[in-house]
Amino acid sequence: EIEGQANGRLKCSQEYRHSFIPHTMGPEQRELFRPKGADEVFMYLDYQHYEISMLQWLSNDDRLGQVLDLDEDFYTVLFKLVSGSVCDTEKKRNMCKNFILPIIYGASAGSLARELEIAQGTAESIVDRVYKLFPTSLKWIKDFADSVDTVGVDYLGRKRRFEEGHRAVRNFAVQ
C-alpha cells in the first residue's frame, strides 16, 4: 500500500498465495525460507533510499545525484554534510534517516525537534542545511505542492484529492 504511510514508505501485508514479502516475515521464518530446486528462484529486493532516489530523478537535482552516486552509504554521507561530523554510529545514521524525509515532506523545525527530541536550534540548523544542500529538489517539491489546488496528478498520471494545504501533497509527489 502506498497511501497513508509515514514519509511515503510502502506498507506490506501477507496477502499473496504464491509469494512472500520479507518485511512481514519474522527472523525465524526468513532463516527457513529457501528455494526448493534449481528451477525455482526467488528475489529479495530492498530499495535503499528509494524516496530520495525518486526525488532526485523527478527533480533532476544534480547535487543530490552526486551524493547518491558516491560509493558510500547515502545516510552516512548526508549526516556528515549536514552536521560536519563523521557518522560513526548507527544512532547517527538513523537520526539522519529520521530527519531527511520529514524535511523534504515539509516538516517544520519545531515538529522535527519534538519528533527527534533535539533542541529547537539544532532542528533549525538541520532544516536550513538540508535546504542549502538540495535547493533544486526542495524547490521542485514545493512547486509541485503549490500547483495542487484540490486534485494532484503525479508523474504517472495518478490522481488524488487533497484538502487545501495538506502536507500529504508533498509525499504524493514522490510516492
Side-chain angles (χ1 to χ4, degrees):
E1 295 175 38
I2 296 173
E3 305 299 341
Q5 305 311 313
N7 297 326
R9 290 277 184 208
L10 302 176
K11 181 180 179 182
C12 302
S13 58
Q14 295 180 343
E15 296 182 18
Y16 306 102
R17 185 170 171 225
H18 298 291
S19 64
F20 73 100
I21 300 175
H23 297 293
T24 63
M25 296 173 73
E28 305 82 25
Q29 292 170 308
R30 284 188 201 139
E31 288 299 318
L32 298 173
F33 194 79
R34 302 280 185 265
K36 294 182 180 188
D39 62 336
E40 295 183 23
V41 297
F42 66 91
M43 293 190 299
Y44 175 81
L45 304 173
D46 184 10
Y47 294 101
Q48 296 179 357
H49 49 72
Y50 181 71
E51 295 90 348
I52 303 295
S53 295
M54 187 56 63
L55 175 62
Q56 188 282 323
W57 181 76
L58 289 165
S59 67
N60 294 308
D61 186 333
D62 290 335
R63 176 70 174 124
L64 184 55
Q66 290 169 355
V67 176
L68 288 166
D69 286 344
L70 294 173
D71 196 23
E72 297 177 55
D73 176 68
F74 172 77
Y75 298 105
T76 301
V77 173
L78 182 62
F79 183 89
K80 185 172 184 177
L81 290 172
V82 170
S83 71
S85 303
V86 175
C87 183
D88 53 3
T89 68
E90 194 61 28
K91 182 178 179 181
K92 290 178 182 177
R93 184 179 181 277
N94 285 335
M95 181 182 190
C96 186
K97 287 178 78 170
N98 290 329
F99 72 63
I100 188 61
L101 287 177
I103 291 172
I104 288 169
Y105 294 147
S108 68
S111 64
L112 195 66
R114 285 188 299 280
E115 187 66 31
L116 298 178
E117 298 178 348
I118 58 176
Q120 175 77 22
T122 302
E124 289 170 1
S125 295
I126 291 170
V127 171
D128 183 58
R129 187 68 179 137
V130 168
Y131 271 81
K132 286 179 180 171
L133 283 167
F134 308 116
T136 302
S137 290
L138 292 162
K139 180 182 182 322
W140 180 88
I141 203 162
K142 181 186 181 309
D143 289 349
F144 180 92
D146 289 349
S147 73
V148 173
D149 185 18
T150 56
V151 176
V153 180
D154 71 5
Y155 182 83
L156 300 173
R158 187 174 65 133
K159 295 179 181 179
R160 182 169 169 197
R161 183 171 297 281
F162 296 95
E163 294 177 25
E164 187 176 335
H166 198 278
R167 180 177 160 198
V169 171
R170 293 171 76 115
N171 293 50
F172 175 76
V174 177
Q175 289 173 346

